[in-house]
Amino acid sequence: MANGSTLESSDSLKAFGAALKTFRERALMTQEQLAERLNYSHASVASVEQGRRMPTAAFVERAEEELEAFGVLRAMVRHLGRQRGLAVWFREWAQLEEMAVGLCTYECRVVPGLLQTEAYTRAVMLNVPPPPSEEQLEQRIAARLARQELLRRRPPIAFSFIVEESVLLRHTGGEDVTREVIDHLLACTELWNVELQIMPLRQPYHAGTDGPMQLLETSERQWVGYSEWQKTGQLVCDREAVSAMQMRYAKMRSQAQLQRV
């Protein structure tokens, strides 16, 4: 998803963050101390407390234990969902992602959302008119960062990404943002379940000229496709159409270069 639109409120995320902060202060801990106890970064704890990031199941369990939260955090997290901050037309696909065993993504516009840094996400969302309000921006960033937990989900998802070289050469957000996102991409390729390929800028034979696309395999071994354009997206369930997308993606995998960032 390149950008978000038509968003839900993030009030429940903010309420969870406020509860976490209250229990942390009750335990006389700083954010840094709690982060160390939970084995998470200070930035992650701060983002959860600010209602900008979806807490993982592991985060909630560790916080419950360390803060002796009487089961309150466990109860509250059941009312949170990854759909907040996502465009309405993207939510059905996001729900399918949660149940996927395999996910293939070809992107020619931006770094895929699952691989973006927060700074890169912010730059992308601020570049495309109309500009979002501060609240909308934070909701969208929180939703995108929350989806990235899928990279480390258990049971794991097998990820394949193909990204156009031009996406990185564009230097979205400037030099510092670009360096950070390239470092992040390299770190993501160290995950055993993530494969990243870069489509060279000069590629006379290219099977992806119809634009970005995604393919998803469910736990029932069914394949579903997804494509999007300006402010809308479409699930592709027709077997013939999905088969054509699979053939195109397979061809691109042979044309792109492995982990060349």
Side-chain angles (χ1 to χ4, degrees):
M1 180 177 61
N3 288 292
S5 65
T6 317
L7 307 175
E8 290 182 356
S9 169
S10 60
D11 286 350
S12 60
L13 277 175
K14 292 177 180 177
F16 181 91
L20 177 67
K21 181 180 179 181
T22 299
F23 281 113
R24 173 179 62 77
E25 291 177 342
R26 173 179 172 271
L28 302 179
M29 288 189 199
T30 65
Q31 286 183 342
E32 292 85 351
Q33 289 170 330
L34 179 59
E36 185 176 355
R37 294 280 191 92
L38 301 182
N39 197 27
Y40 278 80
S41 68
H42 173 215
S44 294
V45 172
S47 293
V48 172
E49 285 195 1
Q50 293 162 10
R52 298 177 54 230
R53 174 170 294 196
M54 174 74 68
T56 65
F59 182 103
V60 175
E61 287 303 313
R62 292 174 191 171
E64 272 284 352
E65 187 174 322
E66 292 293 337
L67 300 177
E68 298 181 359
F70 312 111
V72 172
L73 299 180
R74 289 194 193 100
M76 291 186 71
V77 80
R78 288 197 291 269
H79 298 283
L80 304 181
R82 294 185 190 275
Q83 304 306 305
R84 295 171 180 82
L86 296 179
V88 171
W89 42 264
F90 186 76
R91 291 174 191 161
E92 190 173 3
W93 179 256
Q95 290 173 345
L96 289 173
E97 284 183 329
E98 298 278 355
M99 301 176 287
V101 297
L103 183 63
C104 302
T105 301
Y106 165 64
E107 186 54 80
C108 57
R109 306 161 302 171
V110 294
V111 171
L114 289 172
L115 301 178
Q116 292 179 7
T117 62
E118 182 171 345
Y120 184 91
T121 297
R122 188 177 297 273
V124 168
M125 292 181 175
L126 289 175
N127 274 339
V128 181
S133 68
E134 184 63 27
E135 182 179 3
Q136 288 175 327
L137 178 63
E138 296 306 325
Q139 286 179 20
R140 296 174 189 179
I141 291 173
R144 192 157 300 182
L145 294 177
R147 284 181 59 234
Q148 293 178 1
E149 299 292 343
L150 291 172
L151 295 174
R152 295 171 174 81
R153 193 201 70 182
R154 293 292 180 270
I157 300 172
F159 290 95
S160 169
F161 296 96
I162 301 174
V163 181
E164 289 290 335
E165 184 178 8
S166 59
V167 168
L168 301 177
L169 294 177
R170 187 173 297 125
H171 286 206
T172 298
E175 300 299 323
D176 291 342
V177 171
T178 300
R179 278 193 292 269
E180 182 187 34
V181 81
I182 288 175
D183 287 343
H184 181 65
L185 290 175
L186 289 171
C188 287
T189 63
E190 295 179 2
L191 297 172
W192 71 271
N193 60 320
V194 175
E195 178 186 88
L196 170 64
Q197 295 176 266
I198 303 298
M199 184 68 77
L201 187 61
R202 297 186 65 177
Q203 177 55 269
Y205 307 102
H206 196 320
T209 53
D210 273 3
M213 67 175 186
Q214 297 189 66
L215 287 160
L216 179 151
E217 184 181 13
T218 70
S219 57
E220 289 78 28
R221 305 305 173 185
Q222 295 179 331
W223 285 88
V224 181
Y226 177 77
S227 61
E228 67 178 27
W229 48 96
Q230 297 283 332
K231 284 196 171 183
T232 188
Q234 180 179 4
L235 284 178
V236 182
C237 299
D238 177 76
R239 290 185 178 182
E240 184 175 347
V242 171
S243 177
M245 294 174 72
Q246 288 176 306
M247 286 188 286
R248 294 174 186 178
Y249 196 85
K251 188 67 174 179
M252 282 191 287
R253 291 184 77 167
S254 70
Q255 294 168 337
Q257 301 180 29
L258 183 63
Q259 298 181 7
R260 179 178 172 271
V261 179

